[in-house]
Amino acid sequence: MKKTFMLIILAAAFAAGAAAQGVSLENGWVFSTGDSSQWASPNYNDKNWKPIDVHHPWEQQGYPKYDGFGWYRLHVFIPSSLKDKAYLKDSVRLNLGIIDDNDEVYLNGKLVAEYGGQANGKITVSNYGPRSYTLAANNPAILWDKENVLAIRIFDTGGDGGIYGGTHNVVMSSLLDNVTINNDESFDFGDNGSMSKSITLLTNSKYSYAGQLKFEAKEPETGNVAISKTVQVAFSAGKPYIYSFTIDRPLKRSYQLTYSFTEDRSHDVAVKFEGSPYVLTPWPSSKPRINGPSVFGARPDNPFLYMIPATGKKPLYYSVSGLPQGLKVDENTGIITGIVSQKGDYPVVFSVHNHLGTKTKKFTIKIGDVIGLTPALGWNSWNAFGLTVNDDKVRVAAKTMVTKLAAHGWTYINIDDGWETAQRLPGGEITPNQKFPDMKGMADYVHSLGLKIGIYSSPGPRTCGGYLGTWQHEDQDAKTYGDWGIDYLKYDWCSYSEVTDKDPTLEDYKKPYQVMRASLDKIPRDILFSFCQYGMGDVWKWGAEVGGNSWRSTGDIEDTWQSMSTIGFNQIADGPYAQPGHFNDPDMLVVGKVGWGSNQRNSRLTPDEQYTHISLWSLLSAPLLIGCDMGKLDEFTSSLLTNDEVLAIDQDALGKEAHQAIKKENYQVWIKDLEDGSKAVGIFNTSETYQTITLKPNDDGLSGYTKIRDVWQQKYLISSGNNFTVKVPPHGVVLVRVER
Ligand code: GLA
């Protein structure tokens, strides 16, 4: 899988006329690992090559853990009738789906397209993503009305590799190829139960467009059309068409929205779909409420920082009884600071009041060797900004976190790859690049808000983004982080492959993390240590012993159902290893505006899929690291991230991970044990239609649990008899807490 990918191109879904369906390239491919220039040739005999499916990575098809070169070949007839049916006849598009990482495309022996690059067998730029190449229709490489041989040379740096996902075909270029239906603006919720939004039709092509824009809202369960409107529209480069609408906001369900533009001349149609957002999280009460976990760990003699997360009408006043010697609380902010020297468990009572009342909560401060007793809650720059992260964007994230999220326990502001320089100072010190003029100042700012700050590096010579790694400077870098005031380190394997054995042993996998652990231990700060090596060597079996507070158990997540659900529902082998201070990390959240670069767009997960994402990650006791542009946090995303009863499942002090209790064709049930003896139960619909799911507590390991609370809606449900039946939307969830 990619080690750096800049941008995922979000192609509008085009459902076009007959011409655009083109020649299918979905089936008939053959494959070989290795590399040879002869394999580009149409005359090469590939009869003995093995068939391969272009919908799954090669790892899943008999080439486990294979990285490096692989070739795909296909013999395909391209009829000239394709041209006859098309409105535009001058160019052809080769849609090859998602390719991981880089590729060169040969048609009948001629190189017609390439993406990414590699030099001397080493990858220089790695670009995972959808490929669509345009060729002139009169390109002599295309043999019209004859058999063509398509040969694709792929280089994969690591993780999944090959061609998988997306659409594979040859089509004529359409007038709509350079038309975008941009629906990335967020919905605005009106006070009267309505929601509004604008979408934009735009182009950068030389053509002017006219046609019909049809807007449709369908009921999700019945498919009945609730709203349908058609307008005549026109747009051209520099003159976009903006369509605004206001619709009602149905309770507890999404409308399926379709925007389709039918172009007048070609009759080609461009279509974009989305689900409308719906909010389940109740509005927080004005009375004080203390949120967050029931426990916090810190090491003796290190600076202590914990902000009591509380909601309620401001001003709120905070006090704590039983604080250990060395700590004090700021009564206006709830920020507890100081240093404790004596190890031990300190039971304290938090108290928060405003003019409407007082709320107290029992809490344990554990001064000892283990920190990160509950999974980290925070933000990380990567899924939003990729390598374009800078000081400004991080400060916006910190400011937004403190105003909108910290009252619910969100704490960490983590800078991922892209802050480093390419060269060390003469003395070997690492410095931030010009995008971060003052890292110490930034850390001080984040701390002044009561939040914590994280940073990223690699044990190898370079990070995945090509910046400086820590290789052979571990003590020096740990000291620099300590001097800046860093509280969290994500340590990403990346180029460490270049300095360790080609076939690493278990000891090789552990080594870089042991070395950095020893360096961090010399620093008088509590720095959470987050391993990132994608699960190699079953990291969950030894992550805790090597001193990791969390370890990535998978490759990189994307904002698709395929990616999120495959990762989430496969956290099975690692589950039993989660414990306070040591958690599996199925990667960061893909809700809100994501983009991995300079452009952000709405997550491609539907609202129901986003409920599933947050529910599942909470059941998995995963670190929750928001991966969106916090400056554009919309109301729906905020509601997903501020449900205190959902977050309490993630933050439960028992630190256990849910297990997959039921797996059926259309649904799964995951159950997590909680500290107070209750259980959190996620009932997930993994299918594409509504499912009515019945839990039979006696059969499902839940006997005696009679009280059922819907956690998203924060209300008790009435169950009929012994069984509990729920209706769950496609790819959605009902998350409950069951009590005796
Ligand atoms: C890897 C990691 C990502 C991110 C990038 C940064 O791909 O898995 O989470 O940190 O590197 O380059």
Side-chain angles (χ1 to χ4, degrees), residues 578-630:
Q579 54 182 295
H582 311 285
F583 297 100
N584 294 299
D585 172 5
D587 206 4
M588 301 174 287
L589 301 178
V590 280
V591 300
K593 291 225 173 351
V594 296
W596 290 270
S598 45
N599 297 314
Q600 283 72 43
R601 55 177 158 76
N602 288 332
S603 168
R604 285 175 292 173
L605 296 182
T606 66
D608 286 315
E609 290 167 352
Q610 298 189 44
Y611 278 112
T612 287
H613 187 21
I614 303 295
S615 305
L616 185 53
W617 263 236
S618 298
L619 285 162
L620 295 173
S621 299
L624 300 181
L625 293 168
I626 304 164
C628 74
D629 179 349
M630 293 272 274

Side-chain angles (χ1 to χ4, degrees), residues 104-364:
E104 288 169 1
V105 180
Y106 296 86
L107 188 60
N108 302 311
K110 298 189 185 70
L111 180 67
V112 291
E114 62 189 316
Y115 206 110
Q118 41 80 34
N120 307 323
K122 277 199 185 150
I123 209 82
T124 52
V125 185
S126 154
N127 285 304
Y128 160 94
R131 303 284 189 263
S132 181
Y133 297 115
T134 306
L135 272 56
N138 61 4
N139 186 322
I142 308 175
L143 302 179
W144 291 102
D145 292 323
K146 291 204 176 99
E147 182 183 90
N148 289 254
V149 178
L150 191 56
I152 307 181
R153 179 184 188 229
I154 295 180
F155 185 84
D156 178 39
T157 51
D160 287 348
I163 307 182
Y164 53 88
T167 302
H168 311 85
N169 59 15
V170 183
V171 293
M172 295 305 293
S173 291
S174 156
L175 258 185
L176 296 185
D177 281 350
N178 293 308
V179 167
T180 303
I181 300 176
N182 184 328
N183 63 332
D184 281 332
E185 191 173 290
S186 300
F187 277 91
D188 261 343
F189 292 166
D191 296 336
N192 53 354
S194 66
M195 56 186 159
S196 329
K197 153 161 187 153
S198 299
I199 62 156
T200 308
L201 295 180
L202 61 153
T203 182
N204 55 8
S205 78
K206 59 183 180 193
Y207 302 106
S208 292
Y209 293 84
Q212 293 203 321
L213 173 67
K214 184 170 175 190
F215 166 65
E216 227 174 48
K218 280 189 192 156
E219 287 289 349
E221 196 175 348
T222 57
N224 291 343
V225 176
I227 302 161
S228 179
K229 287 199 176 120
T230 303
V231 285
Q232 192 64 35
V233 305
F235 58 96
S236 55
K239 286 192 190 151
Y241 180 85
I242 299 174
Y243 177 71
S244 305
F245 60 89
T246 299
I247 54 176
D248 67 306
R249 190 146 44 96
L251 285 180
K252 298 187 215 168
R253 65 187 200 284
S254 262
Y255 277 136
Q256 291 170 343
L257 304 180
T258 310
Y259 315 105
S260 52
F261 170 65
T262 308
E263 200 276 330
D264 277 349
R265 286 161 293 179
S266 62
H267 304 294
D268 283 353
V269 186
V271 188
K272 196 89 177 249
F273 304 98
E274 73 176 318
S276 68
Y278 65 102
V279 170
L280 295 177
T281 303
W283 198 250
S285 156
S286 300
K287 291 186 183 161
R289 182 186 199 282
I290 304 176
N291 304 310
S294 60
V295 52
F296 177 72
R299 294 205 175 92
D301 297 324
N302 285 354
F304 183 103
L305 176 62
Y306 184 81
M307 178 157 64
I308 301 170
T311 41
K313 189 147 176 45
K314 288 185 172 155
L316 293 168
Y317 299 98
Y318 303 77
S319 62
V320 184
S321 64
L323 268 185
Q325 204 186 357
L327 296 187
K328 62 174 191 328
V329 62
D330 181 312
E331 73 158 332
N332 296 309
T333 61
I335 299 175
I336 306 173
T337 50
I339 290 183
V340 187
S341 302
Q342 277 298 314
K343 280 189 177 179
D345 287 0
Y346 298 92
V348 299
V349 178
F350 291 160
S351 172
V352 178
H353 79 270
N354 66 7
H355 70 285
L356 294 167
T358 300
K359 190 79 192 173
T360 59
K361 172 171 168 166
K362 288 186 182 162
F363 190 86
T364 308

Side-chain angles (χ1 to χ4, degrees), residues 3 382 416-417 456 464-465 490 492 532 534 552 556 588:
K3 289 294 169 262
W382 184 250
D416 205 280
D417 205 356
Y456 165 99
C464 292
K490 171 173 171 182
D492 193 351
C532 177
Y534 340 111
R552 275 274 294 278
D556 288 13
M588 301 174 287

